[in-house]
Amino acid sequence: MIEDFPMQQIINEDGEIVDADALNDISTEKVKSFYYKMLCARMLDKKCVNLQRQGKIGTYVPYEGQEAAQIGSAVALEEGDWIFPTYRDHAATLTFGHSMRNLLLNWRGRPEGNVPPEGVNIFPPGIPIASQLLHATGAAWAEKKHGSDRVSLVYFGDGATSEGDFHEALNFGSVFNIPTIFFNQNNGYAISVPMERQMKTKTIAQKGLAYDMDCLRIDGNDVLAVFAATKASVDRARANQGPTLIEAVTWRYGAHTTADDASKYRDQNESETRRETTDPLLRVQRYLQTQNTWNEDWLKTIEEEITDEIETAIAEMEAYPEPDLRQLFDYVYDRPTWTIQEQVNQHLAVQGEE
Amino acid sequence: MATSNFISAVTQALKEEMERDDGVFVLGEDVGAKGGVFRATEGLYEQFGELRVLDTPLAESAIAGVGIGAAMYGLRPVAEMQFADFMLPAVNQIISEAAKIRYRSNNDWDVPITVRAPYGGGIHGALYHSQSLEALFASTPGLKVVIPSTPYDVKGLLKAAIRDPDPVLFFEHKKAYRLIKGEVPEEDYTVPIGTADVKREGEDVTVMTYGLCVHFALEAAEKLEAEGISTHVLDLRTVYPLDHAAVVEAARHTGKILLVTEDNKEGSVLNEAAATIAENCLFDLDAPVERLAAPDVPAMPYASPLEKHYMMNTEKVEKAIRELAEF
């Protein structure tokens, strides 16, 4: 079965062109913009790990290594489309228009951080695993019912494919020909459990066959392949040709979260080797070098630009007022029920006595 | 005013709300051409078409989850769970997602979904077509749990649920569907969620209950009237969040309180009423608060004599009221 789902690439690990036709549609400027976004995401991710160690944000979920999968896919969408991320997909949400300050606020424990800019359809990160696939299906069904051509894209990991909601969503999506892109990032591990213990199939893409759904497997570290495949799937969905299951094969360098130690369950040398081989940023750099369009000065310039952006966002996060106790009771319901109002009164009275 | 049975009031509310608002749609198993296994959605498929009366695959988590997605888009889904018993696969979607989306998005997203489900026994439905699940959801802030007793309340509360900007679970006693009849105005009206209702005024004993059991209490009260026992009946109507003010008022009114549910005794939603009375009415009580409930066993038995014994009925309520009156 794995032979039926070859890992699609446009450029390989060495930056060499594998699919010249596909590359024709992607300008060098576009490639450089991908690199910029991936570098920004990586620098932010590294910074967030440090912020967690300093106690400035809570338990953090790093995505380093998965930048291509997230950014290539998010770029393929248009304004008005919907994305449903997990807790590891802030490179995607950032790319789709979420503000860096709000992203940081979320990791500081603030629900304000889950609010995207007006008109940007980013659902708050899904935590319970696979439940968001059904929301993406429902939102896209509603778009379709409304007669619009907007689509939804939902992120989930390899472990999520074992959940019932994954199968219910794929089935629902295919029965009603719903414009949803089911975008799987297969990073090899669900916390500590490797793929071969999660499923017997050698690919995740093939699970789409059971739902008579377009399904494909791509090199999730090749941002160009991710972009092209997602764009094609999005175009099909917009043209009312139904959902697609995409398996983007990738790797997380770090642990599951800052509360996890990956060396307990896998050989971390693998991550170090991969930094030199399959890394999503390095291969774009190598590609641009082969095209003689790589420039160290450019790199330095954008690094400075990104550093400024990140530092500004962190300063904004730190300057954000601490939560008022009253906020604990905000937005349980549209209008507070008497139970909520009574608690507000009680808790504020307690606070007043202190 | 027209007389309607309980289930016709459900259909009427759905029909009127779908006519009023294009965003209202129904989804569930067999709700389309068949009109629902209990016929609650009868005629809606013909009137509104398959996009607004959506027959879904047999997957309750999908019914809830897809409904949540559509609600976030801005529609007003009314999801039908064929039996409350089969809501359990959807609990993650209801408790972890629907109830928390407004809160965790700082009011940026909301989920105005209504989830309807037939509950309760007495129809020989056995273990898996008779359960009462309200207690499972009645400790989840973000949800509202409504259980009407009369056709009038069904129409008014279901309309209120559909218009409510937050997720509402709406449990309908399946034995009440064709057994309970009452007057239902043809005009548009709502009944506020979160308010209990005095269904009968009385002076000696207060019965607090909800759903089908309200009728057992009213019948018992009628019989006891002849013996000179006057019974006050409070229909809770919304079991979460509970109308504490009405509970306290009705408890103080007689000082003798009987709490009645078809659910298991331990952990039932009535325990919240009991705790509220304990907190607020110590010096108003003339007898210990009494609970009348189903046995604490896993489910409704299949064998008829056992089901009959398990079920709440007028005689059990009557006996308990009499004992309290004589206390």
Side-chain angles (χ1 to χ4, degrees):
Chain A
M1 186 65 82
I2 195 164
E3 312 79 54
D4 296 334
F5 291 94
M7 208 158 70
Q8 298 175 20
Q9 288 182 325
I10 292 182
I11 51 174
N12 69 14
E13 289 82 349
D14 298 322
E16 294 160 354
I17 301 168
V18 178
D19 185 346
D21 287 347
L23 196 56
N24 278 340
D25 300 333
I26 306 172
S27 68
T28 302
E29 280 316 300
K30 186 106 183 161
V31 178
K32 289 178 94 169
S33 82
F34 285 143
Y35 187 88
Y36 183 98
K37 289 180 168 72
M38 291 197 293
L39 182 66
C40 177
R42 176 161 297 182
M43 287 169 68
L44 177 66
D45 188 67
K46 284 176 180 293
K47 192 76 191 179
C48 283
V49 172
N50 286 339
L51 289 171
Q52 190 278 333
R53 302 290 184 230
Q54 293 162 16
K56 291 184 176 176
I57 62 173
T59 300
Y60 176 74
V61 183
Y63 53 71
E64 193 191 12
Q66 299 182 212
E67 296 90 346
Q70 296 187 24
I71 288 160
S73 53
V75 170
L77 295 166
E78 290 174 8
E79 199 179 321
D81 291 332
W82 296 65
I83 66 170
F84 292 78
T86 73
Y87 42 76
R88 202 187 301 285
D89 297 318
H90 24 305
T93 58
L94 192 66
T95 304
F96 197 57
H98 205 60
S99 84
M100 199 183 279
R101 183 204 73 171
N102 277 10
L103 193 155
L104 289 165
L105 275 178
N106 175 49
W107 290 110
R108 202 168 161 92
R110 306 299 294 276
E112 296 94 318
N114 282 331
V115 179
E118 189 62 34
V120 179
N121 295 324
I122 302 174
F123 186 70
I127 313 288
I129 307 298
S131 49
Q132 77 278 10
L133 274 76
L134 287 163
H135 308 156
T137 306
W141 178 82
E143 289 284 12
K144 182 177 159 134
K145 177 174 178 291
H146 186 64
S148 90
D149 67 351
R150 296 299 92 184
V151 307
S152 68
L153 185 147
V154 56
Y155 293 100
F156 56 100
D158 34 295
T161 66
S162 296
E163 291 276 8
D165 279 1
F166 164 78
H167 297 276
E168 293 193 21
L170 263 64
N171 184 51
F172 206 104
S174 67
V175 167
F176 295 104
N177 205 42
I178 292 172
T180 297
I181 317 304
F182 296 100
F183 193 92
N184 174 260
Q185 290 173 83
N186 177 1
N187 70 13
Y189 286 83
I191 304 188
S192 67
V193 174
M195 182 179 171
E196 58 270 24
R197 197 159 261 242
Q198 195 70 244
M199 65 197 80
K200 182 151 186 186
T201 61
K202 296 282 189 286
T203 77
I204 286 169
Q206 74 195 71
K207 293 170 193 283
L209 293 177
Y211 302 100
D212 200 14
M213 181 185 292
D214 280 324
C215 41
L216 52 142
R217 184 163 166 264
I218 55 178
D219 183 341
N221 285 7
D222 174 2
V223 69
L224 304 182
V226 174
F227 170 71
T230 311
K231 182 74 170 54
S233 306
V234 166
D235 290 347
R236 277 199 302 275
R238 274 200 221 294
N240 203 24
Q241 290 169 24
T244 304
L245 172 63
I246 297 176
E247 175 188 1
V249 180
T250 183
W251 183 264
R252 69 166 145 85
Y253 290 139
H256 169 65
T257 69
T258 50
D260 174 42
D261 174 5
S263 67
K264 293 251 190 232
Y265 51 81
R266 70 178 195 192
D267 180 2
Q268 281 301 85
N269 289 328
E270 168 97 19
S271 281
E272 294 317 307
T273 308
R274 280 171 175 270
R275 283 182 189 279
E276 300 305 319
T277 53
T278 63
D279 187 73
L281 280 80
L282 188 60
R283 94 169 61 187
V284 173
Q285 181 180 337
R286 284 172 176 162
Y287 164 71
L288 290 171
Q289 280 165 341
T290 63
Q291 303 298 302
N292 292 320
T293 48
W294 179 260
N295 182 329
E296 285 297 326
D297 290 339
W298 176 69
L299 179 63
K300 208 162 283 171
T301 310
I302 63 172
E303 275 175 347
E304 282 168 15
E305 231 176 274
I306 293 166
T307 302
D308 283 351
E309 189 190 350
I310 292 173
E311 291 306 326
T312 304
I314 291 171
E316 285 173 0
M317 171 195 78
E318 291 186 314
Y320 199 81
E322 285 295 305
D324 184 271
L325 184 65
R326 186 184 292 264
Q327 204 189 5
L328 181 62
F329 301 101
D330 280 348
Y331 311 129
V332 181
Y333 299 97
D334 177 53
R335 268 183 265 165
T337 55
W338 73 264
T339 46
I340 299 296
Q341 195 52 53
E342 186 179 88
Q343 292 178 87
V344 171
N345 299 341
Q346 284 169 357
H347 284 253
L348 291 183
V350 168
Q351 193 185 34
E353 283 165 17
E354 284 171 356
Chain B
M1 211 184 292
T3 298
S4 170
N5 66 21
F6 194 97
I7 196 162
S8 302
V10 173
T11 314
Q12 204 179 329
L14 291 172
K15 179 177 185 297
E16 288 179 20
E17 288 304 291
M18 291 177 79
E19 284 169 347
R20 186 187 59 80
D21 178 355
D22 284 346
V24 178
F25 74 101
V26 169
L27 74 165
E29 297 155 10
D30 305 298
V31 297
K34 183 175 167 65
V37 294
F38 289 101
R39 329 272 326 140
T41 55
E42 190 158 35
L44 300 182
Y45 181 81
E46 291 74 10
Q47 184 178 350
F48 299 103
E50 63 177 357
L51 270 182
R52 294 188 65 198
V53 189
L54 190 69
D55 266 329
T56 66
L58 204 166
E60 289 77 12
S61 186
I63 294 168
V66 168
I68 289 168
M72 286 165 45
Y73 170 87
L75 299 183
R76 296 263 166 174
V78 184
E80 177 175 306
M81 297 287 162
Q82 197 158 76
F83 288 86
D85 314 54
F86 306 136
M87 281 175 85
L88 292 171
V91 168
N92 187 45
Q93 287 290 347
I94 294 168
I95 291 183
S96 263
E97 299 287 1
K100 293 172 176 55
I101 284 172
R102 184 188 295 281
Y103 193 67
R104 78 186 220 244
S105 71
N106 210 45
N107 209 32
D108 194 49
W109 297 102
D110 54 10
V111 184
I113 191 173
T114 303
V115 181
R116 294 179 40 245
Y119 80 101
I123 58 146
H124 209 45
L127 287 75
Y128 291 101
H129 296 79
S130 305
Q131 294 174 33
S132 297
L133 286 192
E134 60 272 16
L136 184 66
F137 300 101
S139 55
T140 302
L143 296 180
K144 296 173 184 174
V145 185
V146 174
I147 310 184
S149 68
T150 65
Y152 179 92
D153 284 351
V154 165
K155 181 174 165 182
L157 281 166
L158 184 52
K159 279 169 166 273
I162 292 169
R163 296 179 198 183
D164 198 283
D166 290 299
V168 179
L169 307 188
F170 197 87
F171 289 106
E172 302 155 7
H173 200 293
K174 63 179 82 69
K175 191 174 181 179
Y177 273 155
R178 294 181 196 282
L179 178 71
I180 303 301
K181 297 179 175 60
E183 288 186 339
V184 178
E186 282 174 21
E187 61 264 27
D188 181 37
Y189 67 93
T190 58
V191 169
I193 293 172
T195 58
D197 184 43
V198 177
K199 286 285 194 282
R200 182 188 172 103
E201 298 273 357
E203 303 305 323
D204 300 325
V205 174
T206 296
V207 180
M208 298 186 195
T209 185
Y210 57 93
L212 181 65
C213 291
V214 170
H215 299 282
F216 301 141
L218 291 172
E219 283 169 19
E222 200 64 40
K223 288 185 181 175
L224 290 162
E225 183 85 63
E227 296 174 26
I229 296 170
S230 169
T231 309
H232 195 72
V233 178
L234 183 72
D235 179 0
L236 297 170
R237 295 200 297 199
T238 297
V239 299
Y240 189 81
L242 202 59
D243 185 349
H244 282 204
V247 167
V248 169
E249 189 186 335
R252 286 186 176 144
H253 186 69
T254 65
K256 292 181 174 180
I257 298 103
L258 175 67
L259 306 171
V260 181
T261 179
E262 184 184 316
D263 196 2
N264 310 124
K265 189 172 189 176
E266 188 163 349
S268 93
V269 296
L270 289 179
N271 298 351
E272 177 62 21
T276 302
I277 295 164
E279 281 175 345
N280 294 281
C281 308
L282 178 62
F283 301 108
D284 303 300
L285 296 183
D286 296 318
V289 173
E290 193 176 323
R291 290 177 293 167
L292 188 60
D296 284 317
V297 295
M300 185 80 65
Y302 194 14
S304 291
L306 297 184
E307 180 186 25
K308 193 162 175 248
H309 186 75
Y310 181 108
M311 275 297 288
M312 193 51 59
N313 59 37
T314 303
E315 292 67 38
K316 287 184 188 177
V317 181
E318 183 187 336
K319 181 168 175 283
I321 296 172
R322 187 182 292 112
E323 284 168 6
L324 256 185
E326 289 165 358
F327 182 88

